[in-house]
Amino acid sequence: MKPHTLSILVENKPGVLSRVAGLFTRRGYNIESLAVGTSEEPDMSRITVVSIGDDEAIEQIKKQLNKLIEVVKVTDLTYVDHVAREIALIKVQAEPGSTRAEVMQLADHFRARIVDVGKKTVILEVTGDTSKINALESLLDQYGIKELVRTGKIAMPRGSRAGAPKSR
Amino acid sequence: MKSGAKILFESLAKEGVDTIFGYPGGSVLPIYDELYDSDIRHILVRHEQAAVHAADGYARASGKVGVCLATSGPGACNLVTGIATAYMDSTPVIAITGQVPTSLLGRDAFQESDITGITLPITKHNYLVPRTEELGRIIHEAFYIAGSGRQGPVLVDLPKDVTTGTADYDMESDSLVSLRGYQPTLQGHRLMIEKAIQRIAVADRPLIYAGGGVISSGGSEDLVRFAEKWNIPVTTTLMGLGAIPCDHPLSLGMLGMHGTEYANYAVTECDLLIAVGVRFDDRVTGKVEAFAPNADIIHIDIDPAEIGKNKRVDIPIVGDVKIVLRQMLHEDNHESVPRQWNERIEQWKRDFPTSYPDDGKLRPQFIVKELSDILDGRGIIVTEVGQNQMWAAQHFCFRRPRQWISSGGLGTMGYGFPAAIGAAVACPGEPVFDIAGDGSFQMNIQELATVAQYNIPVKIAVLNNQYLGMVRQWQELFYERRYSYTELTPVDFVKVAEAYGVPGLRVDRPEDVRPAFEAALAADGPFVLDFRIEREENVMPMVPAGAAINEMILGERK
């Protein structure tokens, strides 16, 4: 059982996301993260899904996804060299003074940006792979995280290849 | 400019639709108004569930796409069981539903339901048509999707203002279907086919396991030629009955939970299993690790997701069964070979026939056998679900594809009678029998009104034991005869039939069975036969759920 990252190119039509997401839940697979947005083609969207399962289970999911009429291509990036990022916005308890300075220093180390400063809080914006964001999150925990939102992972294979092989 | 309703019927006509099974209501009034002037035949059922089962039976009997029509909300929701039935058995059905006007969508309007949401997991695809302009194109796409690749049901939801609104419909351009994400693989991969043939050539104990995919692809003749060429015995699934004539020397009948003893022994001992248009259902495999434990597996299927889903496959061939079998017949030039294996199977067939006591009591197996003898290859047998279904599968001799129609995957009680209506409408002149149980028949018994109204010549043979027989059988075998809520009150089905204007006969003795069937066949319309069978008869052999398929509970022998 390990996390698999699937990149799914779909026709941009109403209901596509629920078809894709429903396929996972119906078969008892958990979606760890899901991100959707436009793609290089105007009438296509790209969905990035991270799901945990053994290779056999994920293979079945990929085949079932390919059966959906509006799914054009499913690429499993798990065994392919790829770039993966997500963004998090983290609102941290940071009273003016030494705490705030510590938080801002931490942000600096993680190349996070301060995008809002309130009377008692600051909001950090951080970009990176999942483990980097997890690390920052756990460090900020001691100051008190008031609110946190993450985009879910987006991913793209490295180099000039347009897609990646369907199986590993 | 044409109305949406007009565009609907023009596009249906272009797809060759001659019959629709339906039930009117508020949201489909514009459609019904247009239907009033249409050449398309409409059969008014008495419950929407019957409309979709009838469309399904029509499709299975004819090989064409079946069409049903229902109104929004409750009408659409009543289709759900039938759509799920078609989905599980890969039947091409188009379900057209009415919907509240687009301006009221999502406002919990009167008779509104999110039917595309509800049917998402039980359709091959579905549409909520947003504008009249898209209606024609969507209908043609729906037919293409339903009838190609691995077939299945497609639902098209039509808001009322889409059917009353107007748009241009161009038959030429609207019927050109192009879907980027849907291109079924029809041809088998050449290398895989070569590999399969090399493996077959060295097999000592090969066995073909054939299913519904053989029937739906129209590949039955090719399957038989292939089996004969290589001299390989063939066992079929419930859905594959008729893929090879039951009296063909290479036929082993059905395998699985209620399969023949010899088919189940053959699967257990084979060294090569050639799985053709099947999906390794649990009612077939039993304990999956013990299914064909010593065999390499070749799997031919049009749906890549079926390959390796339940059982590891050694040689996968994705493609249309008929096309792949032709490729395989074309590729090889081997002569059929005599094998000790085949002799062994012949011996099993002699030693372990599927039999039942012959003691003068009215046994359901005898009733099915009599019908099989009388029809002698003619006719279409549709069944309900339960013991009646299994006795029909075991004791009727199916000689051709599409002669057997039954709810396999979903096991839908109430399926048989309306599906028989669809089959009778699709194949006029063919005798059509619904082999029923008293429980199942009562699930859609109101359709007696439909067969009476249109004089549809469906003959219903009720194997009446006043039990939910199959559940009672499980209670007898696995729950110490605690018959919890499986006993039904006696029903006089002849009287019920008469109330609807359908003639009928009650049969209590074996010697009256044949004359009763002859009377039913002689009637030019529908007919009900109420057979009062042995109440606690069981379906045997039986593999308990989760056991290996060679671990059968056996019945009494003759």
Side-chain angles (χ1 to χ4, degrees):
Chain A
M1 300 283 274
K2 57 173 291 187
H4 284 248
T5 306
L6 303 181
S7 177
I8 309 161
L9 186 66
V10 299
E11 289 190 63
N12 190 4
K13 290 195 177 152
V16 175
L17 184 60
S18 60
R19 283 180 209 278
V20 168
L23 208 145
F24 283 82
T25 49
R26 210 154 60 235
R27 287 167 189 274
Y29 300 112
N30 201 25
I31 293 177
E32 291 288 299
S33 116
L34 180 134
V36 199
T38 50
S39 74
E40 69 279 9
E41 293 184 59
D43 51 350
M44 296 277 161
S45 298
R46 194 165 257 119
I47 302 174
T48 310
V49 176
V50 181
S51 181
I52 291 185
D54 55 34
D55 286 352
E56 224 171 284
I58 298 294
E59 191 63 33
Q60 179 61 210
I61 280 278
K62 285 191 278 178
K63 285 173 169 176
Q64 294 293 342
L65 284 169
N66 270 310
K67 280 173 73 169
L68 296 178
I69 306 292
E70 287 142 343
V71 168
V72 173
K73 190 172 176 122
V74 181
T75 311
D76 188 349
L77 296 174
T78 315
Y79 300 98
V80 171
D81 195 13
H82 67 276
V83 183
R85 291 288 181 274
E86 63 177 300
I87 296 180
L89 294 174
I90 309 172
K91 188 183 285 176
V92 195
Q93 186 80 29
E95 308 266 347
S98 66
T99 329
R100 183 166 289 186
E102 275 179 46
V103 168
M104 290 171 96
Q105 202 174 10
L106 258 179
D108 208 30
H109 285 311
F110 279 80
R111 290 171 202 260
R113 296 200 298 149
I114 307 290
V115 290
D116 181 69
V117 179
K119 280 187 178 157
K120 293 179 176 172
T121 58
V122 295
I123 299 178
L124 276 68
E125 175 204 302
V126 60
T127 307
D129 62 18
T130 307
S131 64
K132 173 182 164 185
I133 295 172
N134 288 349
L136 179 60
E137 191 186 322
S138 70
L139 281 170
L140 290 173
D141 228 10
Q142 58 187 306
Y143 303 101
I145 293 175
K146 307 289 284 180
E147 204 176 328
L148 180 139
V149 54
R150 291 167 73 154
T151 56
K153 186 160 140 182
I154 58 169
M156 188 179 274
R158 285 185 192 277
S160 56
R161 61 202 299 184
K166 278 185 182 166
S167 54
R168 61 209 149 88
Chain B
M1 298 285 267
K2 290 163 180 163
S3 74
K6 184 99 186 152
I7 292 171
L8 172 66
F9 285 104
E10 286 192 12
S11 53
L12 290 177
K14 162 80 176 163
E15 293 293 340
V17 175
D18 53 26
T19 310
I20 294 178
F21 303 90
Y23 202 95
S27 297
V28 285
L29 275 170
I31 298 174
Y32 270 85
D33 192 58
E34 192 62 42
L35 184 59
Y36 200 63
D37 297 324
S38 166
D39 292 333
I40 290 177
R41 183 184 186 192
H42 176 270
I43 306 282
L44 174 69
V45 292
R46 296 303 188 270
H47 187 300
E48 286 90 351
Q49 190 191 346
V52 56
H53 288 327
D56 176 314
Y58 177 98
R60 295 194 207 200
S62 66
K64 300 201 296 183
V65 176
V67 183
C68 64
L69 172 59
T71 194
S72 64
C77 288
N78 278 345
L79 296 178
V80 167
T81 305
I83 292 171
T85 305
Y87 184 69
M88 289 290 271
D89 289 344
S90 308
T91 311
V93 167
I94 302 286
I96 298 166
T97 48
Q99 183 53 277
V100 300
T102 48
S103 58
L104 291 180
L105 274 175
R107 292 170 189 263
D108 299 326
F110 178 65
Q111 295 195 327
E112 179 186 1
S113 65
D114 172 16
I115 196 63
T116 46
I118 291 169
T119 59
L120 207 64
I122 53 166
T123 47
K124 186 171 172 188
H125 194 56
N126 64 20
Y127 296 90
L128 170 62
V129 181
R131 283 180 301 278
T132 312
E133 288 77 11
E134 297 192 36
L135 176 55
R137 176 185 59 78
I138 285 175
I139 294 291
H140 293 302
E141 276 185 16
F143 273 81
Y144 176 64
I145 291 168
S148 62
R150 178 176 182 172
Q151 300 176 339
V154 176
L155 180 134
V156 182
D157 199 23
L158 296 174
K160 196 170 183 179
D161 55 325
V162 169
T163 51
T164 54
T166 57
D168 287 322
Y169 170 62
D170 182 68
M171 197 177 280
E172 290 301 309
S173 62
D174 280 9
S175 62
L176 284 177
V177 175
S178 141
L179 295 162
R180 259 186 87 170
Y182 178 68
Q183 268 129 20
T185 307
L186 301 178
Q187 297 269 343
H189 194 283
R190 209 185 157 75
L191 282 175
M192 285 297 161
I193 286 176
E194 278 171 22
K195 217 171 145 187
I197 286 170
Q198 282 165 13
R199 180 65 189 84
I200 294 167
V202 298
D204 289 324
R205 300 183 306 280
L207 179 70
I208 294 169
Y209 152 43
V214 178
I215 311 279
S216 56
S217 77
S220 303
E221 278 178 34
D222 300 290
L223 177 85
V224 174
R225 279 204 293 149
F226 179 76
E228 285 172 350
K229 186 154 199 178
W230 289 93
N231 195 21
I232 302 174
V234 180
T235 176
T236 77
T237 67
L238 182 81
M239 294 298 295
L241 288 172
I244 182 168
C246 73
D247 45 4
H248 190 287
L250 288 171
S251 170
L252 296 184
M254 184 170 77
L255 81 167
M257 182 174 272
H258 294 295
T260 61
E261 272 182 77
Y262 37 94
N264 287 351
Y265 294 148
V267 176
T268 308
E269 296 203 3
C270 69
D271 71 343
L272 175 67
L273 188 70
I274 307 164
V276 190
V278 294
R279 60 189 178 88
F280 295 83
D281 180 81
D282 55 274
R283 282 293 189 268
V284 164
T285 61
K287 188 178 173 186
V288 74
E289 311 84 71
F291 183 74
N294 310 311
D296 285 344
I297 297 177
I298 298 171
H299 190 181
I300 304 169
D301 205 289
I302 197 158
D303 181 355
E306 286 306 331
I307 297 200
K309 187 181 80 176
N310 295 335
K311 182 94 181 164
R312 191 187 48 77
V313 167
D314 300 281
I315 304 176
I317 305 177
V318 175
D320 177 83
V321 160
K322 178 179 180 165
I323 293 170
V324 171
L325 285 172
R326 291 208 168 158
Q327 286 177 285
M328 291 178 85
L329 281 162
H330 186 71
E331 285 283 318
D332 83 80
N333 44 14
H334 293 75
E335 293 298 313
S336 73
V337 284
R339 282 190 210 90
Q340 279 189 342
W341 166 242
N342 295 49
E343 285 166 31
R344 179 127 191 257
I345 286 175
E346 282 307 312
Q347 190 58 46
W348 280 335
K349 277 171 133 177
R350 283 190 294 273
D351 291 348
F352 311 117
T354 306
S355 63
Y356 55 92
D358 180 12
D359 54 5
K361 292 179 178 165
L362 186 56
R363 304 264 177 192
Q365 302 92 330
F366 168 78
I367 295 169
V368 172
K369 268 214 145 97
E370 284 285 278
L371 180 60
S372 185
D373 289 348
I374 293 166
L375 290 177
D376 193 27
R378 289 183 304 144
I380 296 171
I381 301 301
V382 189
T383 74
E384 301 293 343
V385 165
Q387 289 185 317
N388 61 84
Q389 177 184 33
M390 291 302 140
W391 286 319
Q394 289 178 335
H395 297 280
F396 195 95
C397 181
F398 296 97
R399 301 234 177 87
R400 59 175 175 86
R402 303 195 182 280
Q403 195 182 9
W404 160 256
I405 295 175
S406 194
S407 168
L410 199 67
T412 310
M413 287 178 70
Y415 169 81
F417 181 26
I421 293 174
V425 168
C427 305
E430 279 282 351
V432 176
F433 275 84
D434 173 32
I435 296 182
D438 49 322
S440 270
F441 184 40
Q442 289 185 80
M443 279 208 177
N444 271 315
I445 199 164
Q446 76 288 343
E447 297 310 315
L448 282 168
T450 306
V451 292
Q453 181 178 357
Y454 300 98
N455 199 36
I456 299 169
V458 171
K459 321 294 181 187
I460 302 117
V462 189
L463 305 177
N464 187 352
N465 55 11
Q466 294 164 48
Y467 277 120
L468 297 174
M470 189 60 95
V471 187
R472 186 211 57 77
Q473 175 170 337
W474 282 54
Q475 288 171 334
E476 176 189 327
L477 296 171
F478 312 118
Y479 295 87
E480 294 154 346
R481 289 183 186 263
R482 286 156 54 85
Y483 293 164
S484 181
Y485 301 99
T486 42
E487 184 161 17
L488 302 175
T489 48
V491 175
D492 185 335
F493 288 106
V494 176
K495 274 192 179 165
V496 173
E498 272 170 13
Y500 280 102
V502 174
L505 267 177
R506 174 173 166 169
V507 182
D508 298 283
R509 300 181 308 168
E511 56 269 34
D512 296 334
V513 170
R514 187 170 279 257
F517 276 131
E518 278 161 1
L521 280 165
D524 71 345
F527 205 91
V528 171
L529 293 165
D530 186 2
F531 293 103
R532 302 300 174 103
I533 60 167
E534 274 303 290
R535 292 197 66 202
E536 298 201 15
E537 186 68 71
N538 287 331
V539 178
M540 294 295 173
M542 176 181 190
V543 178
I549 64 167
N550 60 339
E551 296 167 4
M552 287 164 273
I553 304 171
L554 302 173
E556 297 171 60
R557 299 208 191 275
K558 252 184 215 187

mmCIF file with all atom_site columns, all heavy atoms in Angstrom, chain B residues 177-188:
data_model
loop_
_atom_site.group_PDB
_atom_site.id
_atom_site.type_symbol
_atom_site.label_atom_id
_atom_site.label_alt_id
_atom_site.label_comp_id
_atom_site.label_asym_id
_atom_site.label_entity_id
_atom_site.label_seq_id
_atom_site.pdbx_PDB_ins_code
_atom_site.Cartn_x
_atom_site.Cartn_y
_atom_site.Cartn_z
_atom_site.occupancy
_atom_site.B_iso_or_equiv
_atom_site.pdbx_formal_charge
_atom_site.auth_seq_id
_atom_site.auth_comp_id
_atom_site.auth_asym_id
_atom_site.auth_atom_id
_atom_site.pdbx_PDB_model_num
ATOM 1  N N   . VAL B 1 177 ? -20.759 10.677 -34.800 1.00 0.00 ? 177 VAL B N   1
ATOM 2  C CA  . VAL B 1 177 ? -20.307 10.641 -33.409 1.00 0.00 ? 177 VAL B CA  1
ATOM 3  C C   . VAL B 1 177 ? -18.786 10.593 -33.352 1.00 0.00 ? 177 VAL B C   1
ATOM 4  O O   . VAL B 1 177 ? -18.158 9.793  -34.035 1.00 0.00 ? 177 VAL B O   1
ATOM 5  C CB  . VAL B 1 177 ? -20.894 9.420  -32.676 1.00 0.00 ? 177 VAL B CB  1
ATOM 6  C CG1 . VAL B 1 177 ? -20.330 9.316  -31.267 1.00 0.00 ? 177 VAL B CG1 1
ATOM 7  C CG2 . VAL B 1 177 ? -22.414 9.520  -32.636 1.00 0.00 ? 177 VAL B CG2 1
ATOM 8  N N   . SER B 1 178 ? -18.210 11.479 -32.567 1.00 0.00 ? 178 SER B N   1
ATOM 9  C CA  . SER B 1 178 ? -16.768 11.420 -32.357 1.00 0.00 ? 178 SER B CA  1
ATOM 10 C C   . SER B 1 178 ? -16.481 11.708 -30.900 1.00 0.00 ? 178 SER B C   1
ATOM 11 O O   . SER B 1 178 ? -16.795 12.775 -30.386 1.00 0.00 ? 178 SER B O   1
ATOM 12 C CB  . SER B 1 178 ? -16.096 12.439 -33.291 1.00 0.00 ? 178 SER B CB  1
ATOM 13 O OG  . SER B 1 178 ? -15.028 13.064 -32.654 1.00 0.00 ? 178 SER B OG  1
ATOM 14 N N   . LEU B 1 179 ? -15.955 10.721 -30.206 1.00 0.00 ? 179 LEU B N   1
ATOM 15 C CA  . LEU B 1 179 ? -15.698 10.863 -28.778 1.00 0.00 ? 179 LEU B CA  1
ATOM 16 C C   . LEU B 1 179 ? -14.226 10.550 -28.513 1.00 0.00 ? 179 LEU B C   1
ATOM 17 O O   . LEU B 1 179 ? -13.771 9.419  -28.708 1.00 0.00 ? 179 LEU B O   1
ATOM 18 C CB  . LEU B 1 179 ? -16.592 9.900  -27.983 1.00 0.00 ? 179 LEU B CB  1
ATOM 19 C CG  . LEU B 1 179 ? -18.094 10.176 -28.065 1.00 0.00 ? 179 LEU B CG  1
ATOM 20 C CD1 . LEU B 1 179 ? -18.888 8.951  -27.642 1.00 0.00 ? 179 LEU B CD1 1
ATOM 21 C CD2 . LEU B 1 179 ? -18.470 11.362 -27.201 1.00 0.00 ? 179 LEU B CD2 1
ATOM 22 N N   . ARG B 1 180 ? -13.483 11.564 -28.073 1.00 0.00 ? 180 ARG B N   1
ATOM 23 C CA  . ARG B 1 180 ? -12.047 11.398 -27.871 1.00 0.00 ? 180 ARG B CA  1
ATOM 24 C C   . ARG B 1 180 ? -11.712 10.342 -26.839 1.00 0.00 ? 180 ARG B C   1
ATOM 25 O O   . ARG B 1 180 ? -10.750 9.601  -26.969 1.00 0.00 ? 180 ARG B O   1
ATOM 26 C CB  . ARG B 1 180 ? -11.458 12.727 -27.377 1.00 0.00 ? 180 ARG B CB  1
ATOM 27 C CG  . ARG B 1 180 ? -10.768 13.497 -28.435 1.00 0.00 ? 180 ARG B CG  1
ATOM 28 C CD  . ARG B 1 180 ? -10.107 14.714 -27.841 1.00 0.00 ? 180 ARG B CD  1
ATOM 29 N NE  . ARG B 1 180 ? -8.766  14.408 -27.349 1.00 0.00 ? 180 ARG B NE  1
ATOM 30 C CZ  . ARG B 1 180 ? -7.914  15.354 -26.952 1.00 0.00 ? 180 ARG B CZ  1
ATOM 31 N NH1 . ARG B 1 180 ? -8.271  16.612 -26.983 1.00 0.00 ? 180 ARG B NH1 1
ATOM 32 N NH2 . ARG B 1 180 ? -6.717  15.022 -26.528 1.00 0.00 ? 180 ARG B NH2 1
ATOM 33 N N   . GLY B 1 181 ? -12.530 10.298 -25.800 1.00 0.00 ? 181 GLY B N   1
ATOM 34 C CA  . GLY B 1 181 ? -12.190 9.422  -24.675 1.00 0.00 ? 181 GLY B CA  1
ATOM 35 C C   . GLY B 1 181 ? -12.808 8.033  -24.777 1.00 0.00 ? 181 GLY B C   1
ATOM 36 O O   . GLY B 1 181 ? -12.749 7.265  -23.834 1.00 0.00 ? 181 GLY B O   1
ATOM 37 N N   . TYR B 1 182 ? -13.429 7.727  -25.910 1.00 0.00 ? 182 TYR B N   1
ATOM 38 C CA  . TYR B 1 182 ? -14.122 6.437  -26.022 1.00 0.00 ? 182 TYR B CA  1
ATOM 39 C C   . TYR B 1 182 ? -13.837 5.800  -27.369 1.00 0.00 ? 182 TYR B C   1
ATOM 40 O O   . TYR B 1 182 ? -14.453 6.152  -28.374 1.00 0.00 ? 182 TYR B O   1
ATOM 41 C CB  . TYR B 1 182 ? -15.623 6.638  -25.827 1.00 0.00 ? 182 TYR B CB  1
ATOM 42 C CG  . TYR B 1 182 ? -16.449 5.373  -25.969 1.00 0.00 ? 182 TYR B CG  1
ATOM 43 C CD1 . TYR B 1 182 ? -16.351 4.357  -25.029 1.00 0.00 ? 182 TYR B CD1 1
ATOM 44 C CD2 . TYR B 1 182 ? -17.302 5.192  -27.048 1.00 0.00 ? 182 TYR B CD2 1
ATOM 45 C CE1 . TYR B 1 182 ? -17.086 3.196  -25.164 1.00 0.00 ? 182 TYR B CE1 1
ATOM 46 C CE2 . TYR B 1 182 ? -18.055 4.037  -27.190 1.00 0.00 ? 182 TYR B CE2 1
ATOM 47 C CZ  . TYR B 1 182 ? -17.935 3.045  -26.248 1.00 0.00 ? 182 TYR B CZ  1
ATOM 48 O OH  . TYR B 1 182 ? -18.664 1.897  -26.386 1.00 0.00 ? 182 TYR B OH  1
ATOM 49 N N   . GLN B 1 183 ? -12.872 4.926  -27.394 1.00 0.00 ? 183 GLN B N   1
ATOM 50 C CA  . GLN B 1 183 ? -12.561 4.203  -28.621 1.00 0.00 ? 183 GLN B CA  1
ATOM 51 C C   . GLN B 1 183 ? -12.315 2.735  -28.300 1.00 0.00 ? 183 GLN B C   1
ATOM 52 O O   . GLN B 1 183 ? -11.198 2.323  -28.010 1.00 0.00 ? 183 GLN B O   1
ATOM 53 C CB  . GLN B 1 183 ? -11.333 4.816  -29.313 1.00 0.00 ? 183 GLN B CB  1
ATOM 54 C CG  . GLN B 1 183 ? -11.694 5.884  -30.329 1.00 0.00 ? 183 GLN B CG  1
ATOM 55 C CD  . GLN B 1 183 ? -10.931 7.174  -30.126 1.00 0.00 ? 183 GLN B CD  1
ATOM 56 O OE1 . GLN B 1 183 ? -9.886  7.173  -29.490 1.00 0.00 ? 183 GLN B OE1 1
ATOM 57 N NE2 . GLN B 1 183 ? -11.453 8.266  -30.647 1.00 0.00 ? 183 GLN B NE2 1
ATOM 58 N N   . PRO B 1 184 ? -13.375 1.929  -28.310 1.00 0.00 ? 184 PRO B N   1
ATOM 59 C CA  . PRO B 1 184 ? -13.224 0.526  -27.914 1.00 0.00 ? 184 PRO B CA  1
ATOM 60 C C   . PRO B 1 184 ? -12.239 -0.220 -28.821 1.00 0.00 ? 184 PRO B C   1
ATOM 61 O O   . PRO B 1 184 ? -12.196 0.021  -30.028 1.00 0.00 ? 184 PRO B O   1
ATOM 62 C CB  . PRO B 1 184 ? -14.634 -0.050 -28.088 1.00 0.00 ? 184 PRO B CB  1
ATOM 63 C CG  . PRO B 1 184 ? -15.548 1.105  -28.206 1.00 0.00 ? 184 PRO B CG  1
ATOM 64 C CD  . PRO B 1 184 ? -14.748 2.255  -28.708 1.00 0.00 ? 184 PRO B CD  1
ATOM 65 N N   . THR B 1 185 ? -11.451 -1.086 -28.209 1.00 0.00 ? 185 THR B N   1
ATOM 66 C CA  . THR B 1 185 ? -10.533 -1.938 -28.956 1.00 0.00 ? 185 THR B CA  1
ATOM 67 C C   . THR B 1 185 ? -11.301 -3.156 -29.460 1.00 0.00 ? 185 THR B C   1
ATOM 68 O O   . THR B 1 185 ? -11.887 -3.881 -28.662 1.00 0.00 ? 185 THR B O   1
ATOM 69 C CB  . THR B 1 185 ? -9.393  -2.418 -28.033 1.00 0.00 ? 185 THR B CB  1
ATOM 70 O OG1 . THR B 1 185 ? -8.814  -1.272 -27.429 1.00 0.00 ? 185 THR B OG1 1
ATOM 71 C CG2 . THR B 1 185 ? -8.340  -3.192 -28.792 1.00 0.00 ? 185 THR B CG2 1
ATOM 72 N N   . LEU B 1 186 ? -11.318 -3.366 -30.759 1.00 0.00 ? 186 LEU B N   1
ATOM 73 C CA  . LEU B 1 186 ? -12.074 -4.488 -31.318 1.00 0.00 ? 186 LEU B CA  1
ATOM 74 C C   . LEU B 1 186 ? -11.159 -5.637 -31.742 1.00 0.00 ? 186 LEU B C   1
ATOM 75 O O   . LEU B 1 186 ? -11.453 -6.804 -31.521 1.00 0.00 ? 186 LEU B O   1
ATOM 76 C CB  . LEU B 1 186 ? -12.915 -4.018 -32.515 1.00 0.00 ? 186 LEU B CB  1
ATOM 77 C CG  . LEU B 1 186 ? -13.922 -2.901 -32.196 1.00 0.00 ? 186 LEU B CG  1
ATOM 78 C CD1 . LEU B 1 186 ? -14.661 -2.461 -33.445 1.00 0.00 ? 186 LEU B CD1 1
ATOM 79 C CD2 . LEU B 1 186 ? -14.920 -3.353 -31.134 1.00 0.00 ? 186 LEU B CD2 1
ATOM 80 N N   . GLN B 1 187 ? -10.036 -5.285 -32.359 1.00 0.00 ? 187 GLN B N   1
ATOM 81 C CA  . GLN B 1 187 ? -9.104  -6.308 -32.834 1.00 0.00 ? 187 GLN B CA  1
ATOM 82 C C   . GLN B 1 187 ? -8.217  -6.772 -31.686 1.00 0.00 ? 187 GLN B C   1
ATOM 83 O O   . GLN B 1 187 ? -7.722  -5.953 -30.914 1.00 0.00 ? 187 GLN B O   1
ATOM 84 C CB  . GLN B 1 187 ? -8.175  -5.696 -33.904 1.00 0.00 ? 187 GLN B CB  1
ATOM 85 C CG  . GLN B 1 187 ? -8.878  -5.207 -35.144 1.00 0.00 ? 187 GLN B CG  1
ATOM 86 C CD  . GLN B 1 187 ? -8.949  -6.294 -36.205 1.00 0.00 ? 187 GLN B CD  1
ATOM 87 O OE1 . GLN B 1 187 ? -8.218  -7.266 -36.137 1.00 0.00 ? 187 GLN B OE1 1
ATOM 88 N NE2 . GLN B 1 187 ? -9.846  -6.114 -37.166 1.00 0.00 ? 187 GLN B NE2 1
ATOM 89 N N   . GLY B 1 188 ? -7.983  -8.084 -31.618 1.00 0.00 ? 188 GLY B N   1
ATOM 90 C CA  . GLY B 1 188 ? -7.056  -8.609 -30.620 1.00 0.00 ? 188 GLY B CA  1
ATOM 91 C C   . GLY B 1 188 ? -5.619  -8.333 -31.036 1.00 0.00 ? 188 GLY B C   1
ATOM 92 O O   . GLY B 1 188 ? -5.307  -8.253 -32.224 1.00 0.00 ? 188 GLY B O   1
#
